[in-house]
Amino acid sequence: MLNQTSVSEFLLLGVTDIQYLRPLLFVVFLIIYIVNVAGNGAILMIVISDPRLHSPMYFFLGNLSCLDICYSTVTLPKMLENFLSSHKAISFLGCMSQLHFFHFLGSTEAMLLAVMAFDRFVAICKPLHYTNIMNHQLCIQMASAVWVIGFFHALMHSIMTSHLNFCGSNHIHHFFCDIKPLLELACGNTDLNQWLLNTVTGTIAMGPFFLTLLSYFYIITHLFFKTRSCSVLHKALSTCASHFMVVILLYAPVLFTYIRPASGSSMDQDRVIAIMYTVVTPVLNPLIYTLRNKEVKGALSRAIRKKL
């Protein structure tokens, strides 16, 4: 049950207050959204349809592309609508739903990147046992686990936030419903919500991040002591470069937003940083993987030739 509150809807103040910029920003973000859906959709399609890409690495890449499409869809359509509308309202239930799916997909992506790092670790450090370790059953189990954990992590936040009492302003200084802006509008004590955000969400964000770094540390150490060759090390790490770039693109803005103290927060900074990990990163992921991956480029070429 949602808590009784005098606020039945929220007003999303959006990216900017400058009226004449809104049509331009609408066109820019619409193009970005179309490119995101088309790029990630193309990767998802070829991973499913091309038998040569039916391996653990591309199975997880397909999951990542699906997440990126959904992740942007949670925030961008509402943002685009608000660029053209003078009434920027979102219902209480709609706000809680947006909060839930935002944290569901975001935390799932963070954990999925750690799983992808583990896959690269096994492929490089245990090549002879790779097919036995990364079997189909284990891949399904790991992918299912990150989706389920992400869902219940987000459900915790959406339930806890929905039970707060919002008795004052309903103006959210953001372009989507997130926990931090909502806590600033809540009446009463929000210490438990803040603790859950810092502890649980912090663990789900930082845990996969450190596991990813640990995987790369073992990969570099293994290759350096086994081969003692910089050229072999460079060649092996080039296969991980795309994944590492995606990790940096996701974690740099997220860590800056959620790790710094609330007292040092700036609404304008939060909005700009949020655009980075909700809009820019998902659209760059397919470009990074296609530009640096010969197998994906080859599969795309084959798919295009079949269409023609």
Side-chain angles (χ1 to χ4, degrees):
M1 290 292 292
L2 296 180
N3 191 32
Q4 295 297 317
T5 178
S6 59
V7 174
S8 61
E9 65 179 20
F10 294 98
L11 297 179
L12 295 168
L13 299 186
V15 176
T16 180
D17 298 326
I18 304 172
Q19 189 71 33
Y20 69 86
L21 281 178
R22 290 175 183 171
L24 174 62
L25 290 174
F26 173 82
V27 173
V28 170
F29 284 111
L30 177 61
I31 292 171
I32 290 174
Y33 183 58
I34 292 171
V35 172
N36 171 24
V37 173
N40 283 295
I43 288 181
L44 187 58
M45 178 193 70
I46 63 169
V47 166
I48 293 172
S49 61
D50 195 324
R52 303 181 196 186
L53 300 184
H54 290 177
S55 65
M57 176 181 174
Y58 296 107
F59 169 74
F60 295 127
L61 178 58
N63 275 262
L64 181 65
S65 294
C66 180
L67 278 169
D68 282 334
I69 293 172
C70 297
Y71 197 37
S72 290
T73 302
V74 171
T75 57
L76 265 175
K78 187 63 180 175
M79 181 204 289
L80 293 171
E81 177 191 335
N82 288 343
F83 279 135
L84 303 180
S85 173
S86 57
H87 188 57
K88 306 176 186 301
I90 182 170
S91 68
F92 190 90
L93 182 59
C95 187
M96 293 303 114
S97 299
Q98 191 179 55
L99 181 153
H100 171 80
F101 283 102
F102 175 77
H103 281 272
F104 166 35
L105 298 166
S107 57
T108 301
E109 181 160 337
M111 291 183 286
L112 180 65
L113 289 174
V115 170
M116 294 172 76
F118 174 73
D119 172 68
R120 292 299 84 208
F121 162 74
V122 177
I124 293 172
C125 299
K126 308 281 186 182
L128 298 179
H129 303 286
Y130 178 73
T131 54
N132 290 329
I133 296 174
M134 299 301 295
N135 57 67
H136 181 70
Q137 183 180 2
L138 180 63
C139 292
I140 294 292
Q141 288 173 345
M142 288 194 295
S144 300
V146 298
W147 282 87
V148 170
I149 294 170
F151 177 83
F152 283 104
H153 161 250
L155 187 63
M156 173 197 70
H157 280 308
S158 56
I159 290 174
M160 292 298 297
T161 306
S162 69
H163 279 75
L164 293 172
N165 187 26
F166 299 94
C167 56
S169 171
N170 66 340
H171 291 65
I172 298 177
H173 294 267
H174 218 315
F175 60 89
F176 68 96
C177 291
D178 197 7
I179 296 173
K180 288 177 72 175
L182 284 169
L183 291 183
E184 294 176 5
L185 301 181
C187 305
N189 193 316
T190 61
D191 288 345
L192 177 58
N193 300 75
Q194 191 65 53
W195 182 84
L196 289 172
L197 181 64
N198 293 336
T199 306
V200 180
T201 304
T203 301
I204 286 180
M206 295 303 296
F209 180 63
F210 284 121
L211 288 174
T212 300
L213 293 181
L214 186 64
S215 295
Y216 278 108
F217 172 77
Y218 274 112
I219 288 171
I220 293 170
T221 304
H222 171 81
L223 290 173
F224 181 77
F225 285 106
K226 183 178 180 180
T227 64
R228 298 185 180 275
S229 169
C230 291
S231 60
V232 174
L233 179 64
H234 179 268
K235 183 179 179 181
L237 290 180
S238 66
T239 65
C240 305
S242 298
H243 174 262
F244 189 71
M245 290 172 66
V246 170
V247 170
I248 296 301
L249 282 171
L250 175 68
Y251 274 102
V254 169
L255 293 177
F256 188 79
T257 299
Y258 289 98
I259 298 302
R260 65 192 173 128
S263 59
S265 296
S266 160
M267 291 296 177
D268 292 334
Q269 279 185 341
D270 284 348
R271 284 195 288 258
V272 171
I273 295 167
I275 287 171
M276 283 297 298
Y277 62 78
T278 61
V279 178
V280 177
T281 300
V283 81
L284 288 179
N285 286 353
L287 295 176
I288 290 169
Y289 276 103
T290 53
L291 290 175
R292 296 190 59 88
N293 192 297
K294 293 180 180 179
E295 289 181 309
V296 173
K297 286 192 288 186
L300 277 172
S301 299
R302 289 191 294 273
I304 292 170
R305 283 198 298 269
K306 285 181 181 179
K307 293 292 183 181
L308 297 176

